[in-house]
């Protein structure tokens, strides 16, 4: 059996991917919030402001921008 180490919380898990099922669920919720915000509002000038408005930590926003092309040119 192969274990993966979650790049978010550091716990070990068996399923594929970089994040454990727990963090994947949290990430999905945050990405939904982000998508919802982008659809309904204009993007603020700074990532800090976007973080405040969405409740998503800047480090997560930065990660989404690196990992997902959809968000790569938000700022
Ligand atoms: Zn995790």
């Amino acid at each position: 059996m192969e274990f993966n180490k979650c790049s978010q919380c550091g716990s070990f898990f068996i399923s594929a991917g970089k994040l454990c099922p727990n963090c994947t669920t949290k990430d999905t919720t945050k990405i939904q919030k982000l998508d919802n915000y982008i659809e309904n509002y204009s993007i603020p000038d700074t990532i800090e402001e976007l973080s405040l408005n969405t409740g998503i930590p800047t480090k997560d926003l930065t990660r989404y921008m690196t990992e997902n092309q959809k968000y790569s040119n938000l700022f």
Side-chain angles (χ1 to χ4, degrees), residues 11-72:
S11 68
F12 290 94
F13 61 100
I14 298 163
S15 52
K18 279 196 286 182
L19 298 180
C20 71
N22 198 9
C23 291
T24 306
T25 312
K26 284 191 213 158
D27 241 25
T28 309
T29 314
K30 283 185 266 192
I31 285 173
Q32 275 170 356
K33 262 195 220 165
L34 180 59
D35 277 341
N36 193 40
Y37 187 88
I38 292 171
E39 260 174 48
N40 294 293
Y41 305 94
S42 56
I43 306 296
D45 292 334
T46 62
I47 193 164
E48 284 80 14
E49 224 175 311
L50 181 64
S51 167
L52 275 178
N53 293 348
T54 54
I56 305 168
T58 48
K59 73 170 171 60
D60 287 329
L61 291 171
T62 316
R63 184 163 50 87
Y64 302 151
M65 286 164 65
T66 336
E67 288 176 357
N68 194 329
Q69 250 190 334
K70 188 177 166 189
Y71 311 117
S72 61

